[in-house]
Amino acid sequence: MLWIDLAKKKEKRRRIRALTLSLFIPGAGQFYRKRIAAGLFFFITFCFLIWLLTEIWRINYGIIGTFAGFFLLYIINIVDAYKGPAKSSAPCERRCPAGINIAHYIAQVREGNYDDALITILDRMPLVSVCGRVCDRPCELSCALRCSGGSLAIECIKRIAAEYGTLPTLQKMKPNTHNNSIGIIGSGPAGLSAAYFLIRKGYPVTIYEKETEPGGLLLWGIPEFRLPREVVKKDIEFLKNLGIVFDCGTAIGKNKTFDELLNAHKSVLIACGSQQIKQLDIQGTELQGIFYALDALRSLHHGNQIDFSGNVAIIGGGNTAFDAARVAVRSGAEKVTIYYRRNEEEMSGNKEELAMALREGVTIEYYVSAMRFTGKKKVDGVELARTELRMRKEGKRSDVISLEGSNFTIDCDTVLIATGQQQDFSFLPRDIQDKLVRGSCIKVNTQTMETLLPGIFAAGDITGRRRSVVDAVDMGRRAAQGIDWYVRSAGKVQKIIERLSDFDYPLPSSLPRRKAIKGKRAEQKLLKINKAVTSVLEVEKGFSKEEAKKEASRCLQCNRLT
């Protein structure tokens, strides 16, 4: 249990005492919480209404309306005593799927309070070191500075908090009164997030991972020059210290059946992602020298060697394609080219990652689609066709049309196919598959992540929703709340009351108001090209403490302006 959890419990007890006081004496709860002006308002208003009622006491429509207003104000007084004034949130916080109090931790970094900044982030995000490197940064798109010097470098500031902040001392948890364990399939971001929030609620959690190490795609699917292994292991070690149990080398459906999992746990969360590779259905995929990019990344992670000499062709336009291209560059390829059937605007991959690949010498050709691979035993070329896009209704991707007579062949020595992944439901019994799966994903309640079968929850890529680390963390948190409600058999009324009584509790810290400095967005230093393409050293170097403080000083603290 984190210190902030204990602080929240203490704060909740204070709020309940304030509510109780205002229940008997309007305004007393506000006085108790040192909100003198609000307390005086409610106390004087109620005294006036009581006097008014005694003066005009006659049963008529006027007095009925006065009673209704009196009762409404009484309820507002009670709610205000508990909730307090509405908390202002900055645009970046509202845009963040995890709901991190971004403006607060940026102010803490500005003052050099790295420990407090780390705890602020940990309240909503367990994978701080990871997210400080591979987050897709939706918060920066809504930064108020985006048209005035450039959005704040929020991701880099978060990384500084992870690097220089000290992980909080863990408090010993009380035994779980429910005594119900939770099983989680998959140790990717969604599974780790759900386990984190469940263990903080006091539930014993076991994560089942088919690989020999926890982390999922974070560990073996993202190259080390983007996300170093020790960074992932640092975040996972923190989760282990919380008491989460990792059962690695256990493949559900092989080493242990799904039914056994249901019998062993009160509730089960499916968070195994979408790791089944989409097969490219064209001639020649069986030739030597052709690899699926995700399989190649996994193989390289386990220490196997792949010959990337000569010309390497990458088929696809997502982050895996960019990662595979950069790996090929570091493995001695003479030329690496990405072939993509759409344009840059419709690429599913992160534009910043594409820019990094181009910086390292990768070339890209748009509007081309692979038709077949040529060669006898080993691939020696790819036959491509020119394409064009046919626009569809707004909100939908364009249709890809291959142009007749536009085929041409390029020479290559190795091909890496990165045309995406899909969900694999083979570990589920057929009867459960029929009830859970709709189309190509598991259908869930988006608020609780509960499936159509009670006690079974799903989160992450397997639900067919957005595929980013921070979105997976958010789904894991929702799943943890849904599982908690399920185990406690919470009814609809109880859920509504708990949602209304929920509150955000920023850690108490004396943060002085400072005027934001003007200036352009600071960019992190990058590893020199000649060193980057010949090693697996991390390319993005992040900020120094001084650079982070200076960049944090640009923050307008929008949560204080509203």
Side-chain angles (χ1 to χ4, degrees), residues 120 178 320 360 409:
T120 299
H178 305 291
T320 302
E360 294 173 2
T409 302

Side-chain angles (χ1 to χ4, degrees), residues 108-109 112-119 121 128-129 133 156-168 234 541-549:
Q108 290 167 327
V109 169
N113 301 334
Y114 303 108
D115 292 353
D116 289 346
L118 179 57
I119 293 175
I121 302 168
V128 186
S129 299
R133 288 169 170 82
C156 293
I157 296 174
K158 186 193 302 156
R159 175 173 168 176
I160 277 288
E163 289 179 348
Y164 293 101
T166 304
L167 287 171
K234 175 186 175 183
K541 307 299 288 182
F543 286 157
S544 65
K545 286 184 178 181
E546 292 71 24
E547 289 170 334
K549 287 181 180 180

Side-chain angles (χ1 to χ4, degrees), residues 344-452:
E344 184 176 343
E345 291 180 359
E346 295 199 11
M347 265 188 163
S348 59
N350 188 291
K351 299 301 183 289
E352 285 78 10
E353 296 306 323
L354 171 61
M356 295 298 291
L358 296 175
R359 174 180 179 265
E360 294 173 2
V362 176
T363 58
I364 184 165
E365 191 166 342
Y366 298 103
Y367 297 108
V368 287
S369 180
M371 305 306 290
R372 70 185 183 97
F373 300 112
T374 62
K376 293 183 178 180
K377 289 185 178 181
K378 188 179 185 302
V379 66
D380 59 22
V382 184
E383 183 179 322
L384 302 164
R386 300 290 178 187
T387 63
E388 67 176 11
L389 302 181
R390 182 172 296 171
M391 301 302 293
R392 300 175 67 186
K393 292 181 179 179
E394 188 176 351
K396 294 185 178 181
R397 296 182 82 188
S398 307
D399 287 327
V400 179
I401 308 298
S402 297
L403 300 177
E404 291 187 16
S406 65
N407 292 29
F408 65 99
T409 302
I410 55 102
D411 295 330
C412 68
D413 301 286
T414 306
V415 175
L416 290 169
I417 303 171
T419 50
Q421 298 93 249
Q422 61 189 6
Q423 293 82 352
D424 179 13
F425 305 110
S426 60
F427 65 94
L428 292 172
R430 174 54 60 182
D431 59 328
I432 293 180
Q433 276 192 51
D434 293 339
K435 294 176 182 177
L436 297 187
V437 180
R438 294 292 181 272
S440 60
C441 59
I442 294 179
K443 186 177 180 181
V444 295
N445 178 320
T446 56
Q447 294 300 315
T448 63
M449 308 311 291
E450 187 170 17
T451 67
L452 298 174

